[in-house]
Amino acid sequence: MELIPVEFEAFDRRIAGVAGDRHIERLHRGTRWAEGPVYVPAGRYLAWSDIPNDRMLRWDEMTGQVGPFRQPAGYVNGNTLDREGRLVSCEHGARRVTRTEHDGSLTVLADRWRGKRLNSPNDVVVRSDASVWFTDPPYGIEGDYEGHRAEQEIDGCHVYRADPGTGEVRVVADDFARPNGLAFSPDESLLYVADTERGHLRVFEVTGDGALTGGKVFAEHEGEGGFDGMRLDETGRIWAAVGPAIHAYHPDGTLLGRLRLPESASNLVFGGPKRNRVFITATTSLYSVMLSIRGAEPVWAR
């Protein structure tokens, strides 16, 4: 394990109460493009994706050891857990969203919309009503690095919702260039979605029938890198991977602070027994830092 001094820039006094480690831990190095971190409390481990190498890795919290989780893995990108603690994943390779059952078998949750194949599902979240929400940019079919080169069958890159009862897949937002990371507010009344190509983060109101309204630009970034994956803490602050840093935003859209990293970050997740350990995937490595705050209560804990 390598220790890297924390470089945190505070821009607003409302971030002053956030404290924690003075060093970031590099838990593993050796991926080509690390993504999709998911903390599994039942096993006390962190699983994440190494997309170009078509594998998932596993870091054991009790031993600190890293080993294979799944290979081949369908060029998996984003991962999350559902209400029953099952792994839900976005597969670039087969252009689908799947759920890993407790016996290890896979259930396809979404692979088509109106009879056409999805582009390459990127990131996914599960709401407390068991609906599955995901983004679908074409990164996995634009070449052979993160999937398989293929023609785009759907005209556009959308945000989708898969109904937990009928399995119906419908578009909930269709005005994105490259929708990427997404996350619900703690009370699930808001959905934040990154548009990497346009360099901004948008926020939608979630209606009672599972639709979205609004969609105003919540935050913008013009520097190195674009918005990627994100998570929220228990106060509703948004923590987003943006280039070689994690940005922290107040719910009013103010940039509160920035945690700098040695390389470009892709995603993050709150984990550990108290949900106060932030795990970050960034290009070649898996990092972690323990903070004085907790992540928002996950769907499996509700």
Side-chain angles (χ1 to χ4, degrees), residues 219-235:
E220 296 181 274
H221 176 71
E222 297 180 353
E224 181 181 355
F227 285 98
D228 205 326
M230 73 191 82
R231 293 291 189 277
L232 276 74
D233 66 27
E234 59 186 355
T235 72

Side-chain angles (χ1 to χ4, degrees), residues 29-59:
R29 189 171 194 170
T31 56
R32 278 193 161 86
W33 179 239
E35 250 285 11
V38 56
Y39 180 77
V40 183
R44 296 285 298 273
Y45 67 87
L46 189 287
W48 78 101
S49 308
D50 180 6
I51 306 175
N53 285 323
D54 191 17
R55 63 177 179 170
M56 290 184 68
L57 298 171
R58 178 184 186 274
W59 173 81

